[in-house]
C-alpha cells in the first residue's frame, strides 16, 4: 500500500515544496508515496468565495468557517478508496507535540489527511465534529499550517520503506533510542588542527559503539535532560 498524504489548504501551491527534491522527491516520482491537495476555498459558496469570518466574542483576526472546512474534509472521506481510515490531523500550536515516536506510528499506517489552519485558527466545532487530532511542531506560532505539514511529512516520508538509500542510516539517529545522536566526523583526518577521535579510526567496532553510546548519553544529559527522564520522548529500544 502506498502511503498517501492529502493536504487541505488555502495554498496548495506550497506543496510538494521541498519534498519534490532529494530522496523524498525521487520517492514521490517512483510512486513510493503520494501527495494530493484540496483547495479549501473550492468549498466556499458565496460570490466572494469567503472562507473566514470574525471571531465570536470579538478580538483580532479571522477564524476559518466550520461549514466550509467540514465540506472540504467530507469530500476527502467520500472519495477515500485509495487509503481509507486515515488519521485526520490538524496542524495547530495547541496540539500534542510531534515526536519521532508519532512519526514512526504515522509512517506505519496508510497515510494521513492534514488540515492546514490559517488566520487565528479554525472553528472548534469542526475540530470536535470531524474528530481532528491536533498536532504541533513546536512551541512557537507560524502564520499557517503548511510549513508544519511539510515538516511532519518530511519526517514521515524519510522513514518509509525504500526511501532512504541506506536503510541502516536511520538506526542511530537522534530520538530513535531516546537519545540525541553522537557527534559525526568524516575526512580529512585533521581539519584546522582538530583530529577525528582516534577510536573512530581504530577499526574496533565494539569500542566505537561504546564511544558513540557514551557520547550520546553525555550530549543528551547536557542538552536535553528531559529525554533521559522519559518525560518527553519515551525510550522505545
Ligand atoms: N491563534 C492560534 C494560532 C493560529 S496560527 C493560537 O494561538 O493557537 C495559524 C495556523 O498556523 C494554525 O491554525 C495552525 O494550522 C498553524 N500553526 C501555527 N503554529 C503552529 C505550530 N507550532 N504547529 C503546527 N501548526 C501551527
Amino acid at each position: 500500500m502506498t502511503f498517501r498524504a492529502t493536504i487541505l489548504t488555502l495554498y496548495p501551491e506550497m506543496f510538494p515544496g521541498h519534498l519534490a527534491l532529494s530522496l523524498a522527491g525521487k520517492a514521490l516520482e517512483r510512486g513510493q508515496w503520494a501527495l494530493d491537495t484540496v483547495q479549501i476555498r473550492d468549498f466556499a459558496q458565496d460570490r466572494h468565495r469567503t472562507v473566514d469570518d470574525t471571531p465570536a466574542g470579538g478580538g483580532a483576526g479571522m477564524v476559518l468557517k466550520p461549514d466550509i472546512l467540514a465540506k472540504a474534509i467530507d469530500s476527502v472521506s467520500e472519495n477515500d478508496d485509495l487509503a481509507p481510515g486515515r488519521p485526520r490531523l490538524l496542524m495547530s500550536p495547541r496540539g500534542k507535540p510531534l515526536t519521532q515516536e508519532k512519526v514512526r506510528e504515522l509512517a506505519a499506517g496508510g497515510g494521513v489527511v492534514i488540515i492546514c489552519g490559517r488566520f487565528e485558527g479554525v472553528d472548534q466545532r469542526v475540530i470536535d465534529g470531524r474528530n481532528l487530532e491536533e498536532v504541533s511542531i513546536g512551541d512557537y506560532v507560524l502564520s499557517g499550517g503548511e510549513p508544519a505539514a511539510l515538516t511532519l511529512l518530511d519526517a514521515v516520508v524519510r522513514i518509509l520503506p525504500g526511501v532512504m538509500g541506506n536503510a541502516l542510516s536511520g538506526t542511530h539517529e537522534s530520538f530513535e533510542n531516546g537519545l540525541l545522536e553522537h557527534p559525526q566526523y568524516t575526512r580529512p583526518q585533521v581539519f584546522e588542527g582538530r583530529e577525528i577521535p582516534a577510536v573512530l579510526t581504530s577499526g574496533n567496532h565494539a569500542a566505537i559503539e561504546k564511544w558513540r553510546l557514551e557520547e550520546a548519553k553525555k550530549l543528551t544529559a547536557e542538552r536535553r535532560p528531559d529525554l533521559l527522564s522519559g518525560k518527553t520522548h519515551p525510550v522505545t529500544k
Side-chain angles (χ1 to χ4, degrees):
M1 183 175 51
T2 304
F3 184 93
R4 176 168 294 268
T6 300
I7 317 290
L8 282 70
T9 169
L10 290 168
Y11 297 97
E13 59 274 31
M14 287 176 79
F15 297 88
H18 74 277
L19 297 178
L21 307 174
S22 194
L23 293 177
K26 290 201 185 92
L28 186 59
E29 258 173 42
R30 283 197 301 262
Q32 285 174 318
W33 68 288
L35 176 82
D36 44 78
T37 54
V38 172
Q39 168 56 275
I40 296 168
R41 203 175 289 284
D42 288 348
F43 297 85
Q45 277 145 336
D46 64 325
R47 209 159 53 85
H48 301 291
R49 304 220 294 158
T50 311
V51 292
D52 56 340
D53 207 338
T54 53
M62 300 295 270
V63 177
L64 264 173
K65 286 163 67 58
D67 46 342
I68 314 289
L69 192 53
K71 281 208 178 75
I73 293 167
D74 294 345
S75 81
V76 174
S77 319
E78 281 154 18
N79 303 305
D80 211 6
D81 318 329
L82 287 168
R86 288 180 287 171
R88 289 195 283 245
L89 312 180
L90 171 65
M91 302 319 297
S92 160
R94 302 186 321 180
K96 210 168 166 192
L98 184 65
T99 60
Q100 190 62 23
E101 192 192 20
K102 180 68 178 176
V103 167
R104 268 198 303 265
E105 181 195 311
L106 292 172
V112 282
V113 176
I114 304 180
I115 294 122
C116 301
R118 278 272 156 181
F119 322 116
E120 288 312 312
V122 314
D123 188 300
Q124 183 63 39
R125 292 166 297 177
V126 75
I127 302 178
D128 299 336
R130 292 299 181 278
N131 215 356
L132 306 184
E133 182 182 343
E134 293 182 75
V135 178
S136 168
I137 62 158
D139 291 345
Y140 39 81
V141 181
L142 305 169
S143 49
E146 290 81 5
L150 285 166
T151 298
L152 180 147
L153 278 179
D154 183 309
V156 169
V157 166
R158 67 186 284 282
I159 62 167
L160 291 176
V163 171
M164 275 205 300
N166 174 5
L168 270 181
S169 69
T171 52
H172 271 299
E173 281 176 329
S174 294
F175 310 117
E176 287 294 347
N177 55 0
L179 296 172
L180 301 178
E181 193 182 60
H182 53 79
Q184 299 276 14
Y185 298 88
T186 187
R187 278 176 289 266
Q189 176 63 32
V190 183
F191 166 67
E192 296 182 346
R194 297 165 200 263
E195 292 209 31
I196 296 178
V199 60
L200 296 180
T201 46
S202 68
N204 180 342
H205 293 293
I208 292 172
E209 282 307 300
K210 187 164 168 274
W211 181 87
R212 285 181 166 167
L213 183 61
E214 277 163 10
E215 290 294 315
K217 282 184 180 158
K218 209 161 72 188
L219 206 67
T220 311
E222 266 168 38
R223 296 185 183 175
R224 295 292 303 278
D226 58 303
L227 292 179
L228 293 176
S229 71
K231 270 185 201 136
T232 15
H233 296 268
V235 179
T236 50
K237 276 185 211 157

